[in-house]
Amino acid sequence: YVKGRGKNDFQLFTPQMQQEFERKVMIEKQLQTALVNEEIELFYQPIMDLKTNEIVGMESLIRWNNKVLGQVPPDEFISIAEETGVIIPIGHWVLNTAIEQHARWQKTTNQPIYVSINVSVRQLLDPTFLEKLKNAIENNLLDPSQIVLEITESIAMYAESMSEKLAELKKLGISLSMDDFGTGYSSLSYLTKYPLDSLKIDKSFVINMHRNDENKAIIQTITAIAKEFDLKVIAEGVEGQEAHHFLKEIGCDYAQGYHFSPPVPASEFQERWL
Ligand code: C2E
Ligand code: MG
Ligand code: MG
Ligand code: MG
């Protein structure tokens, strides 16, 4: 991107590429001030135990409402935040906010539910991450066994350094979950290398379950892998009764999805689930 030039210099771009590019630049710019302008919020989605039909946990999911761009979905801005590095302060805010919220709820209710927090690989590579997590846990007097960090298969690119890092995190007493399981390119050998506690079946398989039997086969295979490695398995994207029954039948442990509840603001979550 060359500054100070007119639109006509983008002749290699189709109008659509140009538009996408301009939106990306705008997102980059607006993200810089998103935290100080208090445009970022966490929503929470319940995670249900399929055996007891009770809530066992919740996933915190980031929401960004910008004055210029409106509501921007995380699938669009998180990768940009990773590229620019602004994911570090944003991720730190997410960690503190989710842990603080969870601690407050633990004090006011008797529900022993866990909080599951998405963490990007950029955050894990930040040398101060461990310290930040430790501080957040200590400042809030939270039992670390109620914290789950959701990581993705992209960490496999940093194989060696990651094994050590994850082992250090585990020493704090938190749990680790592999998110979007089955969508990455990495080999399954990390199942023996990383100290994981659970796998999350990617929502794409669950949402499209009824469309073809292959998706059902994938879901069953992931569940079997989880059992084999002594991991809990959580399905996401459960939108209806059919998926709910299927997952229960094949022995999937936990589930989340619109069938139970979409992600909702903290106040609504408290009212409905605690
Ligand atoms: P994810 O961690 O795999 O989160 C699950 C996504 O599925 C969420 O999308 C959730 O709203 C959506 N979902 C839940 N149930 C259903 C359902 O029944 N049907 C459908 N169609 N979707 C469902 P969301 O909130 O848009 O987040 C997208 C992704 O952005 C997340 O995928 C995660 O990778 C990332 N993300 C969200 N919050 C954070 C965060 O705080 N930090 C980081 N690093 N990434 C985040
Ligand atoms: Mg997740
Ligand atoms: Mg996921
Ligand atoms: Mg995802």
Side-chain angles (χ1 to χ4, degrees):
Y1 176 50
V2 185
K3 271 204 171 116
R5 289 198 182 173
K7 280 189 173 184
N8 294 339
D9 282 323
F10 290 104
Q11 277 152 2
L12 289 175
F13 284 6
T14 64
Q16 198 206 336
M17 282 163 77
Q18 165 106 25
Q19 234 176 19
E20 281 168 11
F21 178 77
E22 279 171 4
R23 180 165 168 92
K24 195 180 163 201
V25 170
M26 184 59 108
I27 288 175
E28 263 176 37
K29 178 165 175 274
Q30 293 297 322
L31 265 180
Q32 299 302 322
T33 50
L35 273 182
V36 289
N37 291 343
E38 298 185 10
E39 297 169 357
I40 290 184
E41 188 185 356
L42 287 184
F43 275 27
Y44 299 89
Q45 185 177 38
I47 299 171
M48 310 301 290
D49 186 326
L50 289 173
K51 281 208 190 77
T52 63
N53 285 322
E54 278 178 50
I55 181 171
V56 286
M58 57 176 174
E59 179 174 8
S60 65
L61 292 154
I62 198 167
R63 292 293 176 265
W64 179 30
N65 193 2
N66 177 260
K67 58 190 183 309
V68 183
L69 297 158
Q71 196 79 37
V72 187
D75 278 331
E76 187 175 10
F77 76 80
I78 291 289
S79 60
I80 298 173
E82 282 169 348
E83 275 173 42
T84 65
V86 77
I87 191 67
I88 298 295
I90 290 177
H92 187 206
W93 181 89
V94 166
L95 206 62
N96 277 313
T97 306
I99 289 177
E100 235 174 73
Q101 181 60 265
H102 186 263
R104 238 176 291 138
W105 280 336
Q106 281 310 101
K107 273 184 217 126
T108 53
T109 66
N110 295 317
Q111 294 265 42
I113 65 172
Y114 70 83
V115 62
S116 207
I117 306 169
N118 293 286
V119 176
S120 102
V121 67
R122 259 311 271 273
Q123 287 176 268
L124 291 173
L125 293 170
D126 167 14
T128 66
F129 181 75
L130 188 76
E131 198 61 29
K132 284 172 179 160
L133 178 61
K134 212 161 133 185
N135 286 339
I137 294 170
E138 280 168 8
N139 292 342
N140 292 288
L141 307 170
L142 196 66
D143 175 359
S145 72
Q146 293 172 321
I147 300 172
V148 177
L149 298 185
E150 297 191 9
I151 56 182
T152 58
E153 292 178 2
S154 58
I155 63 157
M157 293 195 298
Y158 308 88
E160 288 317 310
S161 59
M162 267 309 160
S163 297
E164 280 168 40
K165 187 143 279 188
L166 297 181
E168 279 173 37
L169 288 175
K170 285 283 298 177
K171 273 192 215 145
L172 291 181
I174 57 115
S175 298
L176 293 173
S177 189
M178 185 58 79
D179 203 354
D180 304 340
F181 189 79
T183 59
Y185 298 100
S186 61
S187 91
L188 291 178
S189 65
Y190 69 73
L191 289 174
T192 59
K193 272 193 234 137
Y194 298 150
L196 297 172
D197 300 278
S198 59
L199 303 179
K200 295 192 81 171
I201 304 174
D202 191 67
K203 64 175 184 289
S204 60
F205 304 122
V206 183
I207 290 166
N208 299 310
M209 197 195 76
H210 58 279
R211 285 209 193 119
N212 62 48
D213 286 342
E214 278 109 28
N215 284 320
K216 282 189 179 170
I218 289 172
I219 294 166
Q220 273 178 300
T221 305
I222 295 175
T223 304
I225 289 174
K227 304 272 138 149
E228 198 66 40
F229 284 84
D230 212 12
L231 306 168
K232 284 254 187 254
V233 60
I234 300 125
E236 50 180 39
V238 180
E239 294 187 345
Q241 199 63 251
E242 197 194 336
H244 182 188
H245 282 318
F246 175 74
L247 291 161
K248 201 176 161 132
E249 205 138 285
I250 64 165
C252 178
D253 300 301
Y254 301 156
Q256 65 186 98
Y258 300 163
H259 177 59
F260 307 105
S261 167
V264 291
S267 56
E268 209 178 312
F269 186 88
Q270 179 171 339
E271 227 164 83
R272 183 152 170 217
W273 296 100
L274 301 176

